Amino acid sequence: MDQKLKYYQKRLTKELTRFGDIRFTGQVIFVVIVLLISWSGVRAIQSNYNLQQQVSELNQQNQLSQLQNSTIALQNEYYNSNQYLDLSARQNFGLASPGEKELLVPYNVALSYTENVPGLNNLDSTGTSNPSRLNYQKWIDFFLHRNTSR
């Protein structure tokens, strides 16, 4: 055990005496400086990459906001147009343009002057069709190669 201790002490003193040599010490200092500069460069590159991702994400959000703003501006222009005001007056208030007459025809009377179209027999009590049933029936007809244009 004592011999191992002396061996390691001798080896340590030999290695420490190498640091007394200016060439070895200069090389060690040079390697440490190169490693520190490399590590600093890698960290700078990583932080630049992260910042570039943030800038790109913010630019995309900015473009999205600009598109939303332009869409809202176009909608506002449409809502202020005479065409929208005319349609809105017709739908919501039952108004008509000057010289027009509005005819209210009961649902049953209007249907009496139409021809029977296949698929319209599944109307509910309000007179509206059930689109999911119509679509379902159309798909069945398509897959079974039924002629739907009778």
Side-chain angles (χ1 to χ4, degrees):
M1 181 81 161
D2 198 27
Q3 285 181 342
K4 281 188 178 182
L5 186 59
K6 285 183 182 182
Y7 170 76
Y8 286 123
Q9 280 179 342
K10 189 188 243 185
R11 178 128 175 135
L12 182 62
T13 55
K14 182 179 176 186
E15 292 297 326
L16 288 176
T17 57
R18 289 182 71 189
F19 280 102
D21 184 14
I22 191 72
R23 290 177 291 173
F24 180 74
T25 306
Q27 288 177 349
V28 169
I29 291 173
F30 178 74
V31 167
V32 168
I33 290 173
V34 167
L35 288 175
L36 289 175
I37 290 173
S38 298
W39 180 254
S40 175
V42 167
R43 285 183 42 197
I45 290 171
Q46 181 65 33
S47 67
N48 285 343
Y49 178 75
N50 291 339
L51 290 173
Q52 185 61 37
Q53 284 182 329
Q54 290 176 358
V55 166
S56 175
E57 182 179 325
L58 291 174
N59 282 338
Q60 288 177 351
Q61 289 176 357
N62 189 21
Q63 288 175 351
L64 179 64
S65 296
Q66 288 175 349
L67 286 174
Q68 289 172 342
N69 288 341
S70 65
T71 301
I72 290 171
L74 288 173
Q75 285 177 345
N76 287 340
E77 286 179 28
Y78 173 69
Y79 291 145
N80 290 330
S81 70
N82 290 333
Q83 180 183 10
Y84 173 76
L85 294 175
D86 186 41
L87 287 174
S88 178
R90 288 175 187 266
Q91 288 176 353
N92 297 330
F93 303 116
L95 300 177
S97 295
E100 289 183 344
K101 293 182 181 179
E102 184 176 345
L103 299 176
L104 298 176
V105 179
Y107 179 75
N108 293 335
V109 173
L111 280 184
S112 68
Y113 290 101
T114 61
E115 63 181 60
N116 287 337
V117 178
L120 286 182
N121 53 357
N122 38 342
L123 297 176
D124 60 10
S125 61
T126 62
T128 59
S129 65
N130 184 353
S132 63
R133 176 70 180 128
L134 289 175
N135 193 26
Y136 175 75
Q137 187 63 41
K138 288 178 183 178
W139 279 107
I140 288 176
D141 292 342
F142 174 75
F143 285 120
L144 295 178
H145 302 290
R146 294 181 186 164
N147 187 4
T148 58
S149 59
R150 293 181 192 140

